[in-house]
Amino acid sequence: MNVLFNNPLLYVIDYPGHDALEILDKRNGRMGLLRGATADRMRGEFTQFLRQEHDQEEFEDFIDSYEAILDQPVSRH
């Protein structure tokens, strides 16, 4: 498990041995797990996005573009 990104809005974890990427939107308590080619695409898009400075609105817009895959509520055990 590798934490790729963590800020007040978003948490991104890479599971290299499982070819998976977990994304947690902290704003609304939703998460999604991506695998295979979808995880690879998200890694690339996220890396490209982070190469530049963005204000909070641009960052939120980027997260919102993945809203459809953030379909699981986060729960505590």
Side-chain angles (χ1 to χ4, degrees):
M1 175 174 102
N2 299 319
V3 176
L4 296 182
F5 190 78
N6 185 18
N7 78 0
L9 303 175
L10 186 69
Y11 192 57
V12 180
I13 305 165
D14 190 11
Y15 298 97
H18 299 281
D19 193 24
L21 191 68
E22 184 176 29
I23 304 163
L24 174 89
D25 182 347
K26 295 178 183 180
R27 300 170 305 165
N28 61 22
R30 308 290 292 173
M31 54 127 350
L33 182 68
L34 309 174
R35 300 196 76 179
T38 306
D40 290 340
R41 190 180 86 225
M42 173 59 180
R43 277 185 204 98
E45 290 175 5
F46 191 65
T47 300
Q48 182 69 22
F49 179 78
L50 291 178
R51 286 188 179 144
Q52 300 174 3
E53 291 286 326
H54 298 282
D55 63 25
Q56 183 164 336
E57 185 177 334
E58 291 171 320
F59 199 85
E60 289 180 1
D61 288 345
F62 179 80
I63 297 169
D64 289 343
S65 71
Y66 287 92
E67 183 177 0
I69 61 169
L70 303 176
D71 59 353
Q72 297 296 314
V74 174
S75 62
R76 295 180 187 207
H77 300 278

